[in-house]
Amino acid sequence: MQKRAKPHLRADIQGLRAVAIGLVVLYHLWPNRLPGGFVGVDVFFVISGFLITGHLVRSIGSQPTPRLLVDFYARRIRRLAPAAVLVIVFVLIASVLLLPPTSLAPTGWSALASTLFSQNWYLASQSVSYLEAASQPSALQHFWSLSVEEQFYIAWPLVLLAVALVAHRRRVPMRRALGTAVLFLGAVSFVWSLVHTATDPDVAFFDTTARAWQFAVGAVIALLPERVRVPGWLAWAGIASIAIATLAFSDSTPFPGAAALLPTVGAGLVIAARSSEDGVWSWAYVSRFGAVRWLGDISYSAYLWHWPLIVLLPVAVGHALGTREKVAIILATLVLAGVSQRFVEDPFRRAPWLTARRRRSFVAGATAAAVLVIGSIGSVGVSNAATASENAALIAKVTKGDSCYAAAALGNPDCGNAFGKLDRAHLPESLADKPVAWQDDCIDDITENTEKLCSLGDPAGTQTVLLWGDSHAGAWSSAFDIAGKINHWRIIVAARNKCPSSLVAPDETAWGEKLPQDQQRWCADRNAWVLKSVVPKVDRVVLADLWANYVFDGGRGNQAKGYERLVESTRAVGRDVTVMQHVPLTGPTLEKKVWGPDCLAKQTPSSCSNPLASAYPASTSAVFRAMRDDGLGNAVGYVPVEDRFCDESRCYSAIGGVSVYFDGSHLSNTYSTSLGPWLAKSLRENDTLNSADLG
């Protein structure tokens, strides 16, 4: 016979906690296998609303007094702060040891926000699910839900006490008054959640006021009279609701909003059913077994530890997580959580030197918070200094270093003719010399995932510029990174292979490669998402595609329509649009490319060049001419790039001693980086399509 749960810990709730933490951890490790596992957080919110409300109602009793607030907050500090402080300290130290100094700032800011119970608002302000999705995630990002809970713990006792005091003075039954207040506040929060999720899902996801109704669901259950009984089988209906949400929802589900009803009501049903441990088929009977109960006991520490391990382990081992590493993370999470509960959570919660006087809990909490604030701000300062130094060195290298190196040689009379010059010592590196979009793994093939982005340039830039397009936008990413640092712009890169920045997805490539229907749909969905969720958050949009590479529905005569719709939609939200001429073709046709590094390794640089007429046939500017003819000539900026690759007669695969490309059409990181200073100036001074020479 298994030991029963402790009297003050209901087995059914401990089992529900075990389900919640299991869903969250498995979702973070295998998001494609458990696409809606994030609803485990919603389950925690309902549990917290139930337990905290029940505790407060019992404390308020028939004689409400403000003195109970001090006791409540002191207990919260002893219960939650020790393990949280331990994990934050661990993350700060591990980040210093594992991450370059230039990458410490996000962790520092995240640690500060976590310490001050404001991580959710910090992430909302950063629009993390979109603009930060492709950046290195913070190892403390998961503290957003704890911040929501802490904000609830701060406000909820004040609300309940205020209602209880009014009810006491007016001789209104306290539970009736509290229930009415909770129902009203919960309804208001739910309506706001619907509205906010529909209008700004990025922020709504982290919004405490859009989540308060989930706590209210648990609170209402805590206020139900004892005589109200809910059939025990409804606990299984609740578990089924959570399971359905886990499998049916995904990152693309608008959330919280109406969708959150499914896991929230499901968790509420499990709690309200109060299933008995004596019933063999009851939820509580299943939950009473040791392993399930133990997982529920350590769920708080397990939640704290799992995400830092997921974020930091790939950095430590130098590669993405495989199955073995993921299993190791699960085991390490369980071990660390068990140790934390045994030697940190429980001792501090019961420590006589803290419980003897309430003031000591507040002093200890404030002291720990002050230390974390100092450490967080210090890491930000170190990171900012390192970033400034690195940026200055990089800019100096491409602007003041060897002035005859790569694109820096163009226009410098001391360098002679830079076109066709090659230093063969650098050729072995060329095939792997991919721009930063590839290095940061934020460019991919067309898949259902719609949120992969890069964040480059100056992180504290005065403007945010979106570079949007196919893989050729990714090839320009290193140039935009330097241009952003010079102009003090933050650069967001939305680049995807074979997915040009058009609101009409292409049917095929110019050489007849058919694009499957699902890829067309995913590309269209991706661009619609960028337009809706990213464009409104930037100041300017730059489009970079291999414009001549695609055939759209209706053939080439329809080629410009999707781009024009995108330009018009972008301008409708007040954002300027600039288009970039694409790089020259390296061979006689789009299909027959000359693989730059391979050609240069076997032949002379001049043999790897392409006549200007072949490099820039009329098809390469057809989209721009159509835009101009359709009345968008003055509305769209234009950056010509031809003179960065071509002289009066030919375009080259080697310039200034380096390979221009890492393959048959995409810029090498070296050459793209060297174009940064020129691009910074060109983007500041670009003309419109009407004034451009489009051939």
Side-chain angles (χ1 to χ4, degrees):
M1 184 78 129
Q2 298 286 338
K3 272 172 52 176
R4 301 194 175 221
K6 297 176 184 178
H8 64 288
L9 296 177
R10 281 174 44 182
D12 57 338
I13 293 180
Q14 291 303 90
L16 193 57
R17 278 177 165 153
V19 168
I21 187 59
L23 290 179
V24 171
V25 173
L26 293 177
Y27 164 71
H28 283 150
L29 288 170
W30 289 282
N32 294 328
R33 302 286 181 86
L34 212 64
F38 56 84
V39 301
V41 169
D42 303 80
V43 174
F44 279 127
F45 288 164
V46 179
I47 294 173
S48 294
F50 172 77
L51 294 176
I52 294 304
T53 302
H55 171 76
L56 287 169
V57 170
R58 289 190 295 273
S59 298
I60 291 171
S62 59
Q63 292 291 328
T65 170
R67 206 177 297 178
L68 67 88
L69 294 176
V70 178
D71 289 333
F72 175 81
Y73 292 137
R75 279 194 296 270
R76 288 294 88 196
I77 291 172
R78 294 195 300 271
R79 168 70 181 91
L80 301 175
V85 169
L86 174 64
V87 171
I88 294 174
V89 170
F90 166 81
V91 168
L92 286 173
I93 294 174
S95 297
V96 169
L97 296 175
L98 295 174
L99 301 177
T102 53
S103 300
L104 293 178
T107 301
W109 286 121
S110 194
L112 182 63
S114 299
T115 301
L116 301 179
F117 313 145
S118 58
Q119 180 70 246
N120 60 318
W121 297 115
Y122 172 69
L123 295 180
S125 70
Q126 299 293 311
S127 298
V128 71
S129 63
Y130 298 138
L131 294 187
E132 297 296 331
S135 302
Q136 174 70 22
S138 165
L140 296 171
Q141 196 166 290
H142 64 315
F143 267 70
W144 77 266
S145 64
L146 301 179
S147 294
V148 171
E149 293 213 20
E150 291 296 345
Q151 292 159 28
F152 169 75
Y153 295 150
I154 291 171
W156 201 238
L158 298 172
V159 172
L160 295 187
L161 181 60
V163 172
L165 287 171
V166 172
H168 182 70
R169 289 173 185 169
R170 297 190 177 184
R171 300 178 183 275
V172 175
M174 185 184 69
R175 279 185 176 265
R176 182 187 303 171
L178 291 174
T180 301
V182 169
L183 284 171
F184 173 76
L185 293 173
V188 171
S189 170
F190 179 67
V191 171
W192 170 239
S193 180
L194 295 176
V195 173
H196 204 187
T197 301
T199 56
D200 195 351
D202 292 7
V203 176
F205 188 88
F206 300 108
D207 184 357
T208 304
T209 58
R211 295 283 193 168
W213 66 273
Q214 298 179 288
F215 294 94
V217 168
V220 168
I221 297 170
L223 290 167
L224 290 174
E226 286 290 331
R227 64 178 181 276
V228 176
R229 293 290 178 181
V230 176
W233 61 267
L234 282 177
W236 286 110
I239 294 297
S241 298
I242 296 169
I244 291 171
T246 300
L247 298 175
F249 293 174
S250 69
D251 289 349
S252 62
T253 304
F255 212 83
L261 279 169
L262 193 58
T264 302
V265 172
L269 288 175
V270 175
I271 297 171
R274 300 185 66 91
S275 58
S276 170
E277 295 181 46
D278 297 325
V280 176
W281 298 107
S282 73
W283 170 250
Y285 182 84
V286 174
S287 301
R288 69 197 261 277
F289 290 96
V292 177
R293 187 172 67 246
W294 179 75
L295 186 56
D297 291 343
I298 67 166
S299 59
Y300 173 60
S301 281
Y303 184 84
L304 290 174
W305 281 110
H306 85 284
W307 183 250
L309 296 179
I310 290 173
V311 171
L312 295 173
L313 184 59
V315 180
V317 299
H319 59 78
L321 296 176
T323 301
R324 282 187 295 183
E325 288 87 1
K326 291 179 179 181
V327 171
I329 284 175
I330 293 175
L331 296 176
T333 296
L334 294 175
V335 171
L336 289 170
V339 171
S340 296
Q341 187 211 27
R342 173 68 178 84
F343 296 103
V344 179
E345 286 188 61
D346 290 346
F348 275 91
R349 185 166 65 245
R350 300 164 184 159
W353 64 276
L354 283 175
T355 57
R357 298 195 179 190
R358 303 184 192 95
R359 181 178 60 186
R360 292 177 181 174
S361 296
F362 292 98
V363 171
T367 301
V371 171
L372 291 179
V373 166
I374 293 171
S376 302
I377 294 176
S379 66
V380 171
V382 169
S383 181
N384 288 344
T387 299
S389 175
E390 185 176 286
N391 287 348
L394 184 57
I395 292 170
K397 178 181 178 181
V398 297
T399 58
K400 301 175 184 176
D402 183 352
S403 60
C404 293
Y405 184 71
L410 298 175
N412 186 339
D414 295 334
C415 301
N417 182 13
F419 293 115
K421 283 192 174 180
L422 176 66
D423 179 358
R424 293 188 178 277
H426 293 291
L427 265 183
E429 304 170 3
S430 298
L431 289 172
D433 191 24
K434 297 180 180 181
V436 67
W438 279 268
Q439 296 174 29
D440 288 358
D441 191 29
C442 58
I443 182 170
D444 58 359
D445 292 324
I446 304 176
T447 64
E448 290 182 278
N449 172 25
T450 61
E451 300 180 10
K452 209 165 194 181
L453 305 171
C454 287
S455 181
L456 305 173
D458 184 349
T462 56
Q463 291 187 39
T464 299
V465 176
L466 170 64
L467 171 61
W468 185 1
D470 60 11
S471 57
H472 285 261
W476 280 101
S477 60
S478 295
F480 271 79
D481 185 31
I482 297 300
K485 290 176 169 62
I486 293 173
N487 289 343
H488 300 292
W489 294 342
R490 185 186 181 207
I491 305 296
I492 301 299
V493 182
R496 185 170 260 207
N497 294 332
K498 297 181 183 177
C499 184
S501 54
S502 167
L503 291 187
V504 177
D507 297 69
E508 57 184 285
T509 64
W511 60 86
E513 180 188 356
K514 300 289 185 182
L515 299 182
Q517 287 291 327
D518 56 353
Q519 290 191 11
Q520 293 181 44
R521 184 178 70 255
W522 292 336
C523 179
D525 290 346
R526 155 77 169 190
N527 285 331
W529 166 77
V530 173
L531 178 63
K532 178 183 177 182
S533 300
V534 182
V535 169
K537 296 180 174 68
V538 303
D539 301 294
R540 181 180 180 184
V541 176
V542 180
L543 307 181
D545 295 289
L546 189 59
W547 305 97
N549 191 46
Y550 305 100
V551 175
F552 295 81
D553 183 34
R556 288 197 173 278
N558 197 37
Q559 190 178 30
K561 299 302 179 184
Y563 297 113
E564 291 178 349
R565 284 175 51 195
L566 185 141
V567 169
E568 290 164 350
S569 299
T570 300
R571 287 180 54 78
V573 295
R575 303 299 182 266
D576 291 332
V577 180
T578 299
V579 295
M580 296 194 63
Q581 182 185 25
H582 67 54
V583 298
L585 307 185
T586 56
T589 65
L590 277 162
E591 182 181 12
K592 296 178 180 178
K593 303 180 179 71
V594 172
W595 209 271
D598 281 353
C599 180
L600 293 170
K602 301 171 184 175
Q603 303 181 43
T604 64
S606 61
S607 300
C608 301
S609 63
N610 199 21
L612 187 60
S614 297
Y616 281 111
S619 60
T620 60
S621 56
V623 170
F624 305 143
R625 288 196 301 272
M627 286 183 181
R628 187 172 62 184
D629 295 344
D630 290 339
L632 292 174
N634 283 326
V636 179
Y638 179 68
V639 177
V641 306
E642 181 181 318
D643 65 351
R644 299 296 97 185
F645 303 90
C646 315
D647 58 21
E648 293 80 5
S649 59
R650 304 189 72 84
C651 299
Y652 296 85
S653 292
I655 298 174
V658 305
S659 176
V660 171
Y661 307 101
F662 73 80
D663 59 8
S665 65
H666 296 94
L667 297 178
S668 66
N669 179 60
T670 299
Y671 198 71
S672 182
T673 299
S674 71
L675 287 167
W678 164 84
L679 182 63
K681 181 179 179 181
S682 298
L683 290 173
R684 293 195 305 266
E685 303 172 353
N686 65 269
D687 293 325
T688 64
L689 284 174
N690 270 354
S691 60
D693 178 9
L694 299 179

